[in-house]
Amino acid sequence: DEVLTVQRRIYGLENEYGTSIMRDYRPDYVPYREYQRRIKESTMRTALIQAAQQSWSTPMKNPRLRFVKRDEASFSAELSESQKMAAQLEPQIAGIYQLLQLGEADRDQEKSLRWKVGYDLAVGRVLATKVRTETYNAMLAAAKRGLNPENEKSNTWTLVPANEITVGSQYSKAGEKARQLLESVVEEHPGTPWALLAKRELSNPIGWRWQESYTDLTPP
């Protein structure tokens, strides 16, 4: 739906650039049976269609980012409670990503620009969402093991979106792969709706960092 919405905007541009670019990304206007046959012949196309048919797990909605440390017990309890949202989403997102990975074998043989860019964008976005969710959980888990404040008066910790990932090399590698996929969509398919969606995804940092501050626990 997002691709179609942005695509309509591009088709609506009154200039030859947008129109000429999109000619190379035309859908397969063939009978239904032929369309199904072409999908089944490609593991990449099959994986993309099956992933699209999955119930999409939206990114975490309004995850808690600010934690005030009144005492060790309540601080740990609040962190654990916030981890539950990420823990529920992680297996769903991982399942969609694993499904998309099945199509990687046929990706380089794909001749259709529309199918190829659609696959690359899907993998990049799902992987970025996967990393954001898992690193959120990992950052909270690390905080329960102890945080080292730069200021001894700090008692408040806020998760701030950041491009650096400090909780595991596996997350750093996955985050870099997501960025590379999305950047390739932007560079190799300029002026297309897929490039616009990739830019939108890239504008959201993939990792997190802690920002410390002080909260007066005994205000007048």
Side-chain angles (χ1 to χ4, degrees):
D1 291 343
E2 288 178 288
V3 169
L4 289 174
T5 299
V6 179
Q7 186 170 316
R8 290 191 189 101
R9 289 168 53 193
I10 289 182
Y11 275 129
L13 295 177
E14 295 181 359
N15 60 69
E16 294 184 0
Y17 177 74
T19 304
S20 62
I21 285 291
M22 292 309 298
R23 286 199 188 101
D24 296 329
Y25 298 85
R26 287 177 296 182
D28 296 331
Y29 293 114
V30 295
Y32 178 75
R33 288 185 178 178
E34 174 61 17
Y35 187 76
Q36 290 296 314
R37 185 189 67 78
R38 294 184 183 184
I39 291 175
K40 292 179 180 178
E41 285 184 344
S42 167
T43 57
M44 190 207 78
R45 293 187 179 193
T46 301
L48 184 58
I49 290 295
Q50 290 178 349
Q53 292 172 341
Q54 293 273 344
S55 296
W56 168 239
S57 299
T58 57
M60 293 180 293
K61 293 182 179 179
N62 302 318
R64 182 171 180 174
L65 303 178
R66 184 173 180 270
F67 302 87
V68 179
K69 188 175 183 179
R70 294 173 174 82
D71 55 70
E72 291 291 347
S74 63
F75 185 64
S76 180
E78 290 176 356
L79 291 168
S80 296
E81 183 63 28
S82 297
Q83 283 184 281
K84 292 180 181 178
M85 180 187 298
Q88 291 174 350
L89 284 175
E90 282 182 15
Q92 300 173 38
I93 298 172
I96 296 175
Y97 178 63
Q98 290 171 4
L99 180 58
L100 285 169
Q101 281 189 302
L102 296 176
E104 193 170 350
D106 281 352
R107 189 266 178 198
D108 291 341
Q109 286 72 46
E110 179 58 57
K111 296 181 180 180
S112 167
L113 285 177
R114 186 184 184 91
W115 279 103
K116 183 176 289 187
V117 68
Y119 177 78
D120 289 347
L121 177 63
V123 176
R125 294 181 74 185
V126 171
L127 185 55
T129 301
K130 183 176 183 290
V131 173
R132 289 192 195 100
T133 305
E134 292 179 350
T135 52
Y136 173 86
N137 197 346
M139 290 291 282
L140 298 187
K144 289 194 295 185
R145 294 192 294 271
L147 293 168
N148 298 315
E150 295 181 1
N151 188 329
E152 61 180 13
K153 291 185 177 180
S154 296
N155 64 353
T156 302
W157 303 86
T158 304
L159 272 178
V160 179
N163 283 320
E164 66 263 25
I165 297 175
T166 60
V167 286
S169 59
Q170 73 273 26
Y171 300 126
S172 296
K173 292 178 181 178
E176 182 59 29
K177 181 179 179 180
R179 277 192 290 268
Q180 289 176 353
L181 281 167
L182 295 167
E183 287 171 355
S184 71
V185 170
V186 174
E187 294 171 3
E188 297 173 15
H189 308 276
T192 69
W194 298 275
L196 292 178
L197 290 172
K199 286 181 181 179
R200 185 184 302 172
E201 190 69 46
L202 285 166
S203 68
N204 298 319
I206 291 179
W208 307 89
R209 65 178 176 84
W210 284 112
Q211 186 177 78
E212 64 181 79
S213 60
Y214 172 75
T215 297
D216 187 357
L217 300 180
T218 58

